[in-house]
Structures are given as structure tokens and as C-alpha cells.
Amino acid sequence: AQSVTQLDSQVPVFEEAPVELRCNYSSSVSVYLFWYVQYPNQGLQLLLKYLSGSTLVKGINGFEAEFNKSQTSFHLRKPSVHISDTAEYFCAVSVNRDDKIIFGKGTRLHILP
Amino acid sequence: NAGVMQNPRHLVRRRGQEARLRCSPMKGHSHVYWYRQLPEEGLKFMVYLQKENIIDESGMPKERFSAEFPKEGPSILRIQQVVRGDSAAYFCASSSRTGNSPLHFGNGTRLTVT
């Protein structure tokens, strides 16, 4: 069965600094990969997704992620964070388009002034 | 607002009572998923339904929990004889599952069992 590991439960970053949120997955077959963001007291919103093709995926709000099959990783990056990026970020995996999506435990991004 | 609608937003139940959580998917979506969120544990998959069918309920507790998605009306997650450990945020998501459409989430129902 597939699984997702987000190694960092919290990441503090100064405003305007770059950030990388790590995500590793395990699956014996090809996967679809997602990053979602959750703002306080809200549901999750899709940031970006990797289905196939180019391994560098660009999403909303200036975020991007790179699919690395050999390292089974899908790390999320942003070159310069803003205070409004304060939220919890979830990496997720699905084996095929008709399967459930499995989420990691999330990473809280704290933006420091 | 054509998004996923969950109600109520907050639900308080005493131990032993029943909790009913409702989810109306986005217009045109026929696939519904329920997840439970506990602090520091992320989102745990519970059940995946299509209209009148349960596709995958591998994340549902064997007792007290049930879900349905009738031909007409919202999807319902039902918890009988609630216990304090059921206190959590329950999120519903829907998708069209045409192509590789992502999940669209509601704002959740926060269940508190006293």
C-alpha cells in the first residue's frame, strides 16, 4: 500500500526567505502526487499536482514541486515566502485516478517577521 | 457558492448520542470522500462513495460508523453512540473523477463529544 511521509512537522522561515517542505512517498507502482494547503478553520485547497510529464510542477501562489522518482520525493518549494503563506501543508498520493488519496501528517509553515 | 458544503460547522454531542454529518458535493460531482483530522495526525481516509455505492470503506471503524450517498440528497456520515475519542474535524471532499480531477474540500464539521 502507498504511504506518504512528511519529515518536518513544523518549519519556521523568515519572511522573504526561500522554503522547502519535504515529502517522500512509498509505492510499488506509478503514482499521482499532490500538495494541498489548509488555512486555519478551513478545508484543504489544491496547490499543485503531478500526474505525468514534466517533473517540475508549478502551482498557485508561487509554489512549485519537483517529482524525483529515484528518490521517491515530491518536495514543495517557494523562492520567497510571505506572511500570508502561514498555513499547514499536506502532501498526498494516489495510485490511480479511481483510488483514494492518502495524505501525510502535514507540515506547519511559520513565517517569522 | 458552488463549493462543497458541509453542515453543521460545529456539532456538540454527549457521550452515547448520535452524530450526523452532512456533505453536499460540488455541482456535477458524483464521488464523495470522508476524512477525519486529529491534531498532529493529518487527514485519515475513512470512506469513498459514489451515488448509492460504497467504493472503499477501508478506513471506517468497524462499529458505530456508517456512511451513505443516496441518489437524491447529501452524503451522510453517521456516528452512533459517540465517545470522547470521536472528537475531531471531519472533512468531506468531492471530485468528478473525469480525467484526473483533484479533490475539492468542504470546510469541515468539528465534532466535540462531552
Side-chain angles (χ1 to χ4, degrees):
Chain A
Q2 67 273 28
S3 65
V4 178
T5 302
Q6 292 183 248
L7 294 169
D8 306 303
S9 59
Q10 296 189 59
V11 173
V13 183
F14 285 105
E15 197 169 10
E16 299 184 8
V19 68
E20 179 179 85
L21 305 183
R22 296 181 292 171
C23 172
N24 289 88
Y25 68 92
S26 96
S27 174
S28 57
V29 297
S30 297
V31 296
Y32 301 129
L33 294 158
F34 308 84
W35 275 98
Y36 284 81
V37 59
Q38 185 180 32
Y39 299 103
N41 298 315
Q42 294 185 24
L44 279 70
Q45 301 172 34
L46 180 70
L47 270 180
L48 48 80
K49 61 182 177 182
Y50 171 79
L51 305 177
S52 65
S54 173
T55 56
L56 183 63
V57 181
K58 293 192 182 297
I60 62 171
N61 301 341
F63 284 92
E64 64 180 32
E66 186 158 18
F67 170 58
N68 188 320
K69 188 174 181 180
S70 62
Q71 297 186 6
T72 61
S73 69
F74 190 55
H75 301 331
L76 181 70
R77 303 186 187 99
K78 185 169 182 177
S80 176
V81 296
H82 188 267
I83 195 75
S84 60
D85 293 322
T86 299
E88 189 157 20
Y89 292 80
F90 292 91
C91 183
V93 63
S94 171
V95 171
N96 61 61
R97 72 182 203 187
D98 293 320
D99 200 2
K100 58 185 178 285
I101 294 181
I102 303 298
F103 287 84
K105 291 188 176 183
T107 298
R108 289 188 184 278
L109 180 60
H110 295 283
I111 308 299
L112 308 171
Chain B
N1 185 349
V4 178
M5 302 300 294
Q6 287 189 252
N7 67 81
R9 285 297 306 274
H10 301 276
L11 182 61
V12 180
R13 286 287 179 266
R14 290 197 298 272
R15 279 180 298 169
Q17 291 185 318
E18 179 180 286
R20 279 180 173 250
L21 288 63
R22 294 176 181 77
C23 170
S24 296
M26 279 184 71
K27 187 176 180 181
H29 285 188
S30 58
H31 300 247
V32 166
Y33 303 75
W34 285 93
Y35 288 85
R36 177 164 61 179
Q37 185 177 33
L38 290 165
E40 313 303 327
E41 291 190 19
L43 275 83
K44 295 291 189 184
F45 168 79
M46 298 182 74
V47 63
Y48 164 30
L49 311 104
Q50 294 179 23
K51 285 283 187 182
E52 300 183 280
N53 284 308
I54 296 175
I55 307 303
D56 183 343
E57 56 180 347
S58 57
M60 287 280 270
K62 298 300 180 191
E63 297 178 347
R64 301 187 297 109
F65 285 71
S66 62
E68 62 176 10
F69 188 18
K71 187 176 180 180
E72 301 291 337
S75 175
I76 305 288
L77 179 66
R78 183 182 177 204
I79 311 172
Q80 295 178 290
Q81 299 175 330
V82 295
V83 300
R84 287 219 172 103
D86 297 332
S87 296
Y90 292 83
F91 288 93
C92 169
S94 72
S95 77
S96 64
R97 277 307 186 199
T98 56
N100 297 303
S101 56
L103 298 180
H104 295 262
F105 280 83
N107 285 331
T109 294
R110 279 154 183 81
L111 172 65
T112 301
V113 179
T114 61

